[in-house]
Amino acid sequence: LEAVLRDLASVSLATRLRIEEGTQVPRSIIEFYYKNDALNDPMVSEEHITAFGWATPQEIDDIMALAIRVNDFLSGLFLGVGIRLVDFKMECGRLWEGEMMRIVVADEISPDSCRWWDIKSNDKLDKDRFRRDMGGLVEAYTEVARRLGIIGENERATHAGPKLVQ
Ligand code: UDP
């Protein structure tokens, strides 16, 4: 399952409900998608999820609570550097500690799985630059890394790839 949290309407929500792209939704909306490339990741409801046994009602509640916490944390962090968090995708896993199980964030949160718009210009600083063939992908990712202080003002992004943290 993929959980998507949206604070602003982007393409699918705007098209499906005929609201303008970029409109703020009344409150954060969480949607679930069945992760299956052959089926084009269809949206599913809590009914589908529980009926097919992919997650229990309690696990769905935990995923939603986690998505809201992640959103609170990330939207604040990004507002501080002049970026609006439009939406993001999150995948969860079950972490067992003895008999106890916790739902945890199980994948990366990165410009590939979030929508980030510059607050002033609304410029896209995320994977949509690639998806919509807009160019300037590396520049946008570098700009985000710079604003977050991950790389220095005059430093260039390296393409060394991620390092394993033990
Ligand atoms: N997303 C993702 N992987 C996917 C599908 C979506 O990381 O397989 C992210 C995407 O980057 C965006 C959010 O989930 O931040 C919502 O994307 P979606 O394609 O559902 O939005 P749409 O453009 O259809 O409104």
Side-chain angles (χ1 to χ4, degrees), residues 20-67:
E20 202 178 329
E21 204 186 333
T23 310
Q24 180 144 20
V25 294
R27 62 167 170 77
S28 304
I29 294 175
I30 299 170
E31 299 169 346
F32 292 98
Y33 291 86
Y34 179 54
K35 195 177 158 86
N36 183 322
D37 280 343
L39 300 178
N40 232 349
D41 296 352
M43 180 153 67
V44 289
S45 70
E46 295 184 34
E47 274 289 284
H48 296 104
I49 298 170
T50 50
F52 288 110
W54 299 327
T56 65
Q58 180 62 54
E59 287 172 335
I60 295 174
D61 283 353
D62 290 352
I63 293 169
M64 292 174 80
L66 199 51

Side-chain angles (χ1 to χ4, degrees), residues 2 4 6 10-13 31 33 41 87-89 111-115 127 131-132:
E2 296 179 338
V4 169
R6 304 178 189 276
S10 65
V11 182
S12 64
L13 196 60
E31 299 169 346
Y33 291 86
D41 296 352
D87 56 34
F88 66 89
K89 184 265 299 180
D112 285 353
S113 58
C114 298
R115 281 206 174 92
K127 196 176 171 182
R131 292 193 194 102
R132 298 186 184 190

Side-chain angles (χ1 to χ4, degrees), residues 73-99:
F73 179 84
L74 285 186
S75 54
L77 176 78
F78 280 97
L79 267 182
V81 295
I83 295 172
R84 194 180 309 285
L85 177 63
V86 174
D87 56 34
F88 66 89
K89 184 265 299 180
M90 197 181 79
E91 290 174 39
C92 293
R94 297 184 180 96
L95 184 67
W96 288 93
E97 286 163 339
E99 292 296 294

Side-chain angles (χ1 to χ4, degrees), residues 123-124 126 128-137:
D123 274 356
K124 295 182 197 310
D126 56 65
D128 271 350
R129 299 204 75 86
F130 166 77
R131 292 193 194 102
R132 298 186 184 190
D133 226 353
M134 301 166 78
L137 183 82

Side-chain angles (χ1 to χ4, degrees), residues 104-120:
V104 294
V105 176
D107 69 344
E108 61 167 38
I109 295 176
S110 78
D112 285 353
S113 58
C114 298
R115 281 206 174 92
W116 293 328
W117 293 355
D118 180 80
I119 282 187
K120 287 195 188 128

